[in-house]
Amino acid sequence: MKKSVAICYPPLDTKKGIPLLGQNRQFQWANDPWYAYPVVPAYGATMLHKAGFSVSWLDGIAKEQTYSTWLAELIKIKPDIIIIETKTPVIKYHWKMIEKIKSKLPQSNVVLMGDHVTALPEESFKKCPVDFVITGGDFDFLMLSIANHLAKKTKLCAGIYYRQGKKILNTGKFKLNNNLDKLPFIDRDLTRWKLYAYKNSNYIKTPGTYTMFGRDCWWGKCTFCSWTTLFPGKNFRVMSVKRALDEIGHILDNYPVVEIMDDSGTFPVGEWLRDFCKGIIKRGYHKKIQIDCNMRFNTGLTQEDYHLMRKAGFRFLLYGLESANQETLNRLNKNLKVAQITQYAKIAKQAGLWPHATAMVGYPWETKEQAQNTINLAKDLFKKGYIDTLQATVVIPYPGTPLFKQCQKNNWLKTTDWNQYDMRMPIMKTTMSDNQINALVRDIYNSIWTPQFVLRKLKEGLTDWNKFKYYVRLALKFFSKKLDFAGF
Ligand code: SF4
């Protein structure tokens, strides 16, 4: 009989909000949730299905189920293998959940994957009856390896932890050497793509979907970035331009998608990007879709490159601004000069792109005055019209990151209660109180309200219905974000 596998995002019964977990580099509980398509698990589901396994996609969070409804569905399916993606702020919830699942489904093998268990793989074996832990970010190839091992007794790939009696064994350090051109096109029906096609503030038009042509970021060295635990930059891989274009073609042929968010940590640049843009234009895809992606300010891209991107249908570019203080950028290993933030945002905007910036506060070394510099820069960028949107967060040192190690070395951690690592309160000791940091996050959001910016957006919204709807959605999101940081 076919072995069955369930890929799971269990809902959590808590008053904190909705956990934004899958595909998210920074975890947050949200009052007004949005759903990112978990691309790597979706490749995994497709590979398992193609290999003859029966696959259930049980994202109870995106389905907006209660925990009990989700659990009842899981128990009814009785999967042989239950795979759960986890992150630091929810790991303790998942440990309890795994105990419950194993008591109801003792024959099922439970697998955990994610950045937290990559950093601390053995911890979860001590805290709960989990059977396997996947380390590294190639969840897709490794979940297939575990399923094949259980079904056909094949050898496990490197990067997997498992139990043998009372011992916890592993297959060695994970290797990120799988060829991305060998991936199948994602089966988006199997992985319930519509759950993620509408409630996502990155899209101006819907339905939208996600791709991930690179794993994950060609820089991959920022000290706070949780996904460098899964994908250290030295292992950066990208699929061939042809393979990437073919996947877009496959999406357009099979789904009514009008916008694509490529969620590679940083989109590939240089020759790859230019060939990709020319290919999109040659195949005529730019007439059917818009593309959004993550980008860095300091890429060497020229005004001409940005124009080419715009011509190829790129729209929304997400940049990590992080801080307007050079000392902070250096300490974070951003490889970025403060002046380059304005320089690159300006040429992206001049090409007609929509730059979005993310900023953070709560660095142990930053004073209130220095944090104010970040607010001032955000305000200036909005005023000049160089960025359209902005997201502000409190920096969290996730286990596995160089920042977490620095915290341990310098005694900066306030707690190692993982439940607290959810961006609701600063985890690192700073020169400011929690309430002051909270107020700074709100000040960054408030920086949007320059009269020039509001007037410009009102004008744009009145001439374009899609933009009008988008700005209404953003305004709601803006107030919801302020609520998220209303008080620690
Ligand atoms: S540039 Fe972005 S994705 Fe890349 S390492 Fe830095 S924070 Fe992470």
Side-chain angles (χ1 to χ4, degrees), residues 274-330:
R274 285 188 277 275
D275 289 347
F276 178 77
C277 291
K278 287 175 197 160
I280 290 255
I281 296 165
K282 195 167 168 204
R283 295 188 187 199
Y285 297 160
H286 62 305
K287 295 181 189 146
K288 300 175 184 163
I289 42 149
Q290 302 194 103
I291 303 174
D292 311 319
C293 70
N294 301 304
M295 189 48 80
R296 283 173 52 81
F297 284 115
N298 176 16
T299 50
L301 287 178
T302 61
Q303 182 73 73
E304 205 183 324
D305 292 326
Y306 275 128
H307 277 300
L308 180 63
M309 287 177 79
R310 184 66 190 134
K311 200 171 160 200
F314 277 85
R315 182 187 67 83
F316 187 62
L317 266 52
L318 286 90
Y319 293 92
L321 180 159
E322 324 308 3
S323 167
N325 298 296
Q326 194 57 52
E327 184 203 342
T328 299
L329 294 178
N330 295 346

Side-chain angles (χ1 to χ4, degrees), residues 25 216-217 219-222 224-225 228 265-266 296 322 334:
R25 288 154 182 84
D216 168 59
C217 167
W219 173 244
K221 292 182 198 159
C222 301
F224 63 90
C225 180
T228 59
T266 303
R296 283 173 52 81
E322 324 308 3
K334 271 306 280 188

Side-chain angles (χ1 to χ4, degrees), residues 337-349:
K337 299 271 175 267
V338 173
Q340 290 172 322
I341 296 172
T342 306
Q343 180 196 333
Y344 279 88
K346 183 179 174 187
I347 59 171
K349 195 67 208 173

Side-chain angles (χ1 to χ4, degrees), residues 28 30 40 42 59 63 104 160 165 171 227 238 277 337 346 372 484:
Q28 246 183 306
V40 184
D59 188 342
K63 253 173 116 181
K104 300 274 178 198
I160 295 168
T171 55
W227 271 42
V238 64
C277 291
K337 299 271 175 267
K346 183 179 174 187
Q372 188 61 42
D484 287 342

